[in-house]
Amino acid sequence: MNIQGRPTSSVSVDMNPHQTFNGNRALQLEEPLIFETGRLDVTGVDIEAPATVVSRLGAFERKGSLGLPGLTEPEAMRHYVRLSQKNYSIDAGLYPLGSCTMKHNPRFNEAMARLPGFSDVHPLQPQSTVQGAIALIAQLSDWLLELTGMQAAAMSPKAGAHGEMCGMMAIRAALEARGEAASRKVVLVPDSAHGTNPATAAAIGFSVRAVPARSDGTVSVEAVKEALGPDVAAIMLTNPNTCGLFEPQIVEIAAAVHEAGAYFYCDGANFNAIVGKVRPGDLGVDAMHINLHKTFSTPHGGGGPGSGPVVLSERLAPFAPLPFVLKKDDGALALVEHDSEAEGAQPFGRMSAFHGQMGMFVRAYAYMLSHGGDGLKQASEDAVLNANYVRVGLRDLMSQPFGDKPCMHEALFDDEWLKGTGVTTLDFAKAMIDEGYHPMTMYFPLVVHGAMLIEPTESESRAALDLFIATLRDLAMAAKAGKVDRFTGAPFHAPRSRLDETRAARAPVLRWSAPEPVARG
Ligand SMILES: *Cc1c(COP(=O)(O)O)cnc(C)c1O
């Protein structure tokens, strides 16, 4: 076997008694790279080469073959269908990835996003021809402001991390306007933060000062006060935090931050737990990104397309980036693209070439409209209920790092309960794959040893949760009963078993090169 686990010769020496002759596993078919399937002497089209071609390329004419693989239509078709079947998705099954909010994307949203008036618009079209699309952006941003209790929204950021950058750039612009950008260069970030928070601060030139978490997983106002000073620009705090807990002192923290002349950036990736219940603006938040692809069910995974609008408080609203929607005197809507049209505002610049992810705006809009205010609130309540249902269903077998307390939308366990079993968090997660479950978020947040962060979301039924809990209970009891073989080496039923994930991340092979021809003698 080579590193990918593909048989390299017909006499494959493999310890796995279930290894098949050709590498296929039941109807899960092996799929070589398209370069390995295709051959240079085959083509899927049978148009004859033109008899006379007068090239006008001169010195730019191609000398050799492009080296693209030739495949027949069925071969090409099968290749891409098989690849598509290797994706695990929320449409296929429960996806309990904590912090990521993998919830059902209603088909209604998809149908709306495919309406030609939305799907076929072009960002360079004259604005008079896309008034409906602009109205949708404006209405969506109004609803986000209503749900968050904030003043202005920047709709163009393309992901949560991009939104963080947008919010922090608005903070920097506000400091510049106060003449304090040079003296306030530090951003406070709690230990438990998502990695994007310190990365964002550092990427735009701030330095990061860590705030330790309390033993109960939350941040204390005393610790924040200790870290505050005249050099602090902002704090980046996640609420509910990455341990699945609502920060109990968030109002006091906001007050202390403001008193010290700094701004409060809230990472809103966990907004799914509190929509309709709490308005971040009321807590003293100055800037917060909203992951439409988490809270408002737009599809995500595999890197996008995300959408991370940012909402800003009154103090930061003047610095919101271009473009933004303005209602003109004649009632028409305009996307303001230039400083000169900004009417007194001081936009700090722009975050992307155009206006944001239109398709995601339509989906989020459809989600909000179909739920209504009461439905959005119920979705949050159900998300919290489901997480606690899982937590309580597992708490006698699996340990919780901060005691037996209710959580918000995600249930957090540590690996204390695995001590002495010879099974690690990673082994446990891999064994879940054999049982047909995508693993939960592992080893995050970093402040919890061997963390397992489970977010079932509101879109799972009670029956689905019962089976999930029963499966995890069975695995937990097996681990405690010393059945280590079920874990180390898992997954056993997947097309690939344990991979060297560190090497895959550190030394990825991204370019195919033709194998050396084998010398035959
Ligand atoms: C997902 C997430 C982010 C980043 O959002 P992306 O859309 O993936 O860039 C930031 N913080 C937290 C807590 C998150 O869960």
Side-chain angles (χ1 to χ4, degrees):
M1 302 284 270
N2 62 14
I3 179 95
Q4 287 96 14
R6 187 173 296 138
T8 44
S9 75
S10 53
V11 270
S12 136
V13 191
D14 198 294
M15 304 311 287
N16 184 349
H18 301 298
Q19 183 67 38
T20 56
F21 169 72
N22 57 19
N24 294 332
R25 294 216 165 184
L27 299 182
Q28 297 208 55
L29 305 181
E30 272 303 309
E31 188 54 20
L33 297 179
I34 198 165
F35 292 96
E36 295 164 343
T37 311
R39 297 167 303 281
L40 292 178
D41 56 350
V42 172
T43 172
V45 283
D46 55 4
I47 307 169
E48 281 185 25
T52 50
V53 185
V54 183
S55 168
R56 288 180 291 167
L57 290 171
F60 296 109
E61 197 172 348
R62 180 155 48 81
K63 300 279 187 329
S65 148
L66 263 185
L68 292 179
L71 292 93
T72 65
E73 183 173 311
E75 283 172 333
M77 192 70 210
R78 284 181 180 161
H79 177 72
Y80 289 107
V81 168
R82 287 176 188 174
L83 288 190
S84 76
Q85 290 172 339
K86 295 192 190 305
N87 288 335
Y88 187 77
S89 66
I90 187 67
D91 289 346
L94 201 151
Y95 207 150
L97 213 47
S99 209
C100 293
T101 311
M102 308 301 288
K103 65 176 170 183
H104 174 64
N105 319 126
R107 294 308 101 159
F108 173 70
N109 303 355
E110 299 301 315
M112 294 302 104
R114 281 169 179 70
L115 291 174
F118 293 126
S119 64
D120 293 349
V121 292
H122 191 280
L124 293 178
Q125 246 172 281
Q127 294 192 9
S128 61
T129 65
V130 287
Q131 286 286 302
I134 301 177
L136 183 140
I137 298 176
Q139 179 73 73
L140 176 62
S141 104
D142 280 353
W143 287 343
L144 293 178
L145 295 178
E146 180 164 344
L147 290 171
T148 55
M150 303 286 269
Q151 281 289 316
M155 300 300 288
S156 61
K158 301 263 173 68
H162 203 207
E164 288 174 33
M165 182 174 232
C166 175
M168 293 306 292
M169 287 172 80
I171 288 173
R172 192 172 62 185
L175 288 170
E176 268 162 15
R178 277 162 49 183
E180 292 181 44
S183 57
R184 292 185 180 268
K185 298 296 283 180
V186 175
V187 172
L188 308 185
V189 181
D191 282 343
S192 55
H194 194 265
T196 49
N197 293 184
T200 298
I204 62 171
F206 290 107
S207 58
V208 173
R209 186 176 296 157
V211 181
R214 283 193 288 209
S215 57
D216 68 354
T218 65
V219 177
S220 77
V221 65
E222 287 76 28
V224 172
K225 280 185 178 159
E226 197 129 302
L228 279 168
D231 56 345
V232 173
I235 187 169
M236 296 182 84
L237 189 70
T238 309
N239 188 53
N241 70 21
T242 57
C243 300
L245 304 171
F246 194 94
E247 288 290 350
Q249 294 194 309
I250 189 163
V251 173
E252 292 84 347
I253 290 173
V257 166
H258 291 152
E259 195 168 319
Y263 294 93
F264 180 3
Y265 185 93
C266 181
D267 181 329
N270 294 334
F271 194 40
N272 195 47
I274 58 172
V275 176
K277 309 286 284 185
V278 177
R279 301 194 315 163
D282 298 339
L283 303 175
V285 169
D286 290 304
M288 182 177 98
H289 73 262
I290 296 161
N291 307 62
L292 294 187
H293 48 288
K294 293 178 183 172
T295 304
F296 298 106
S297 85
T298 68
H300 67 133
S307 186
V310 174
V311 289
L312 301 168
S313 67
E314 203 170 352
R315 302 199 301 157
L316 294 180
F319 307 99
L322 299 165
F324 52 80
V325 180
L326 205 68
K327 195 166 190 175
K328 294 204 277 199
D329 293 339
D330 61 0
L333 294 170
L335 269 169
V336 175
E337 301 267 13
H338 304 286
D339 282 353
S340 55
E341 307 154 9
E343 297 190 0
Q346 308 158 60
F348 71 72
R350 50 191 309 147
M351 295 302 294
S352 60
F354 298 119
H355 320 114
Q357 300 281 22
M358 191 64 207
M360 298 303 133
F361 294 162
V362 180
R363 287 173 175 87
Y365 180 95
Y367 180 82
M368 288 187 187
L369 194 59
S370 54
H371 277 69
D374 56 339
L376 291 175
K377 184 167 162 225
Q378 193 192 332
S380 300
E381 289 169 353
D382 291 349
V384 173
L385 180 65
N386 278 1
N388 279 289
Y389 190 70
V390 170
R391 188 182 65 80
V392 170
L394 297 172
R395 66 180 168 187
D396 58 323
L397 290 171
M398 295 165 60
S399 49
Q400 304 169 76
F402 305 117
D404 192 8
K405 284 187 307 200
C407 59
M408 298 297 293
H409 60 310
E410 48 198 3
L412 179 58
F413 299 93
D414 60 18
D415 62 358
E416 185 65 32
W417 65 279
L418 283 171
K419 262 202 183 135
T421 60
V423 175
T424 65
T425 290
L426 181 72
D427 298 330
F428 189 78
K430 295 295 182 190
M432 283 171 68
I433 296 176
D434 279 336
E435 298 290 338
Y437 285 113
H438 190 288
M440 70 292 264
T441 291
M442 295 178 286
Y443 299 104
F444 175 81
L446 303 178
V447 290
V448 170
H449 201 271
M452 305 180 203
L453 186 60
I454 302 176
E455 180 176 1
T457 82
E458 69 277 15
S459 55
E460 293 305 328
S461 68
R462 180 158 175 195
L465 293 183
D466 283 337
L467 183 59
F468 177 68
I469 292 168
T471 306
L472 262 59
R473 290 187 66 83
D474 183 71
L475 282 172
M477 287 186 287
K480 291 188 185 210
K483 298 185 180 147
V484 183
D485 288 353
R486 188 166 163 193
F487 298 90
T488 48
F492 298 105
H493 301 296
R496 297 288 180 277
S497 191
R498 214 49 96 85
L499 303 179
D500 184 344
E501 289 168 356
T502 310
R503 195 167 144 210
R506 295 268 162 89
V509 180
L510 301 176
R511 191 179 289 261
W512 182 78
S513 47
E516 296 286 326
V518 184
R520 290 176 203 278

